[in-house]
Amino acid sequence: MKNYDVVIIGSGPGGYVSAIRCAQLGFTVAIIEKYNTLGGTCLNVGCIPSKALLDSSEHFHNATHTFSEHGIEVKEVKANITQMIKRKDDVVSQTCDGVKYLMDKNKIDVHQGIGSFKDQHTITITGENGSAEIFGKHIIIATGSKPNFFPGMEPDKKRIITSTEALKLSEIPKKLLVIGAGVIGLELGSVYKRLGTEVEVIEFAPTLLPTMDGTISKEFTKILKKDGFKFHMEHRVQGVVNKGKSVVVTALNKKNEKVEIEGDYCLVAVGRKAYTAGLALENVGLIANQRGQIEVNEHLQTSIPHIYAIGDVVRGAMLAHKAEEEGVFVAETIAGQKPHINYNLIPGVVYTWPEVANVGKTEEELTAAGIEIKVGSFPIKALGRARASMDTAGLVKIIADKNTDEILGVHMIAPRAADLIMEAVTAMEFRASAEDLVRICHPHPTYSEAIKEAAMAATDARAMHI
Ligand code: FAD
Ligand code: NAI
């Protein structure tokens, strides 16, 4: 039986990043992945393929909606979904191959198969070529998550689909129903909306992206409605039926009336659940909690100190960059270092167009906590850069402590908000004040000027360009 300092189960962004950091720190490392490709949900059926299709569909949308105003005449623009999916698959396989390269470069042993606990140090790997056992002095569980669903909306993966199938449809739906106005519903809804699909979203809560700052959620709803999204808010889904060539969602509206909505596909996007099947946790006395997650302490240790768990399989945001941070954290903890993760400063992004991004607390959270705040916001349409690119929707909102001026939350809808938010994350990591942002020279013309202007608006209402 081969012995390793660290054995990692799962090769998503949590697992593979942890493996690299462990190897950098001088440990012998094995990583176990049940699929043939490395990279987990993120690379195979999550972040990367969804962004590839978002980019392709955005090009198509621009060709059909904004090119003529830019003075570019194109005849007969057609969306070729087969080619779009093929390009997406190429992007995925190049990225997954990149992880394999990184494993080899860092001398990390990759084992294909399902990893399960035989005892507290022995992992059985059951793969295509039989089974084997390896020993780990330390073990990191990084088995991620799977799509969730509720009774009555079980995906049949044909017409009642999850994000995984939505990333490989062979046709552009005429009408796509989406259950859940969360990140997946709005991102993948956007892909098909831009390709000409009618998109209707059925949501249980009164607002979309319910955990977002209220101003952003309201503004974002307006933008999406203007783009043609149709929302059925406060609807409780009772069932979804595949009728062969169509699918019907039955829901109860706010007044408790039965509503039937028909489309050709229904994307079920009501969250994801931690994945522990196959691990045989019972063999080591670990139990998943009611939400299916593995319980960990502040060091990401399970109740067995040398067994750690990270990423989507534990509490917290289900985000690739959160999983990566935790992977590094555990590697450095095992090495005896004292790493730190600031969970308050994990940015969130929705990759629609414009993009939505946030970091820190929302106005609602701060108000509920009784913290005195001041708020400044600035509309994207007031930027010269935005008019030049014809991307005028959105705003930047900065919330600072009324007494100390420390920035407590930054929320934005803006072109490239996913990249812009990093200025706020960096500033907040160094506990900057809104005045600090005002005093930093921002290049002109850029979208980043909206951050400076929002900071000016928060400090003595002195924004200049509105
Ligand atoms: P995962 O990536 O889920 O990896 C877990 C791996 O473990 C899998 O490869 C699985 O096969 C393997 N595994 C499980 N059990 C075993 C076992 N017993 N033995 C061996 N292997 C096993 N996040 C972002 O931050 N940005 C985005 O833009 C983004 N977009 C997304 C889009 C979609 C459509 C989806 C579905 C998710 C998206 N996410 C995004 C979320 C992101 O993918 C996850 O948060 C991230 O992948 C979690 O990483 P992880 O390492 O914890 O687990
Ligand atoms: P989500 O938690 O973002 O949204 C789920 C939505 O479904 C919520 O609005 C919720 O109120 C609604 N809902 C729940 N039950 C319902 C019901 N019975 N009927 C109608 N609506 C219902 O989950 P989503 O979109 O599935 O994404 C899963 C995870 O993947 C998220 O936690 C997210 O962090 C991650 N992800 C991240 C992305 C990013 O960072 N850009 C992109 C895609 C996914």
Side-chain angles (χ1 to χ4, degrees), residues 130-153:
S131 73
E133 286 176 2
I134 58 175
F135 176 96
K137 189 170 171 205
H138 303 277
I139 292 162
I140 304 174
I141 303 170
T143 48
S145 63
K146 286 274 176 237
N148 195 18
F149 54 84
F150 296 104
M153 55 172 91

Side-chain angles (χ1 to χ4, degrees), residues 367-416:
T367 308
I371 295 168
E372 287 192 301
I373 52 169
K374 50 189 186 169
V375 177
S377 54
F378 188 81
I380 295 297
K381 66 173 181 234
L383 295 172
R385 183 73 190 87
R387 277 191 301 276
S389 67
M390 275 174 58
D391 290 309
T392 50
L395 78 153
V396 173
K397 172 173 172 179
I398 293 186
I399 313 171
D401 186 294
K402 193 173 178 186
N403 302 307
T404 65
D405 198 33
E406 180 175 353
I407 305 164
L408 302 176
V410 177
H411 307 272
M412 57 175 81
I413 305 177
R416 301 280 165 232

Side-chain angles (χ1 to χ4, degrees), residues 9-15 32-35 39-42 45-47 50-51 113-115 142-145 163 184 187-188 272 275 277-279 310-312 318-321 323 351:
I9 310 176
S11 73
I32 307 169
E33 171 53 56
K34 72 175 181 178
Y35 291 119
T41 303
C42 173
V45 290
C47 322
S50 59
K51 268 79 255 179
I114 295 173
T143 48
S145 63
S163 52
I184 291 183
E187 286 188 3
L188 294 180
R272 293 178 60 85
Y275 185 75
L279 278 173
I310 59 171
D312 280 11
M318 287 182 158
L319 295 173
H321 40 286
Y351 292 82

Side-chain angles (χ1 to χ4, degrees), residues 70 353 378-393 414-416 420 442-451 453 465:
H70 278 286
W353 195 264
F378 188 81
I380 295 297
K381 66 173 181 234
L383 295 172
R385 183 73 190 87
R387 277 191 301 276
S389 67
M390 275 174 58
D391 290 309
T392 50
R416 301 280 165 232
L420 288 181
H442 286 65
H444 173 76
T446 58
Y447 303 117
S448 74
E449 287 170 292
I451 298 178
E453 291 275 356
H465 292 86

Side-chain angles (χ1 to χ4, degrees), residues 320-384:
H321 40 286
K322 177 258 195 186
E324 290 184 31
E325 292 300 320
E326 291 185 338
V328 170
F329 179 98
V330 166
E332 294 180 350
T333 300
I334 293 171
Q337 298 181 8
K338 302 265 179 290
H340 174 70
I341 296 175
N342 186 347
Y343 282 98
N344 183 42
L345 294 189
I346 292 177
V349 176
V350 190
Y351 292 82
T352 45
W353 195 264
E355 293 172 339
V356 184
N358 68 282
V359 63
K361 300 274 185 261
T362 63
E363 186 171 344
E364 291 74 19
E365 285 170 332
L366 292 164
T367 308
I371 295 168
E372 287 192 301
I373 52 169
K374 50 189 186 169
V375 177
S377 54
F378 188 81
I380 295 297
K381 66 173 181 234
L383 295 172

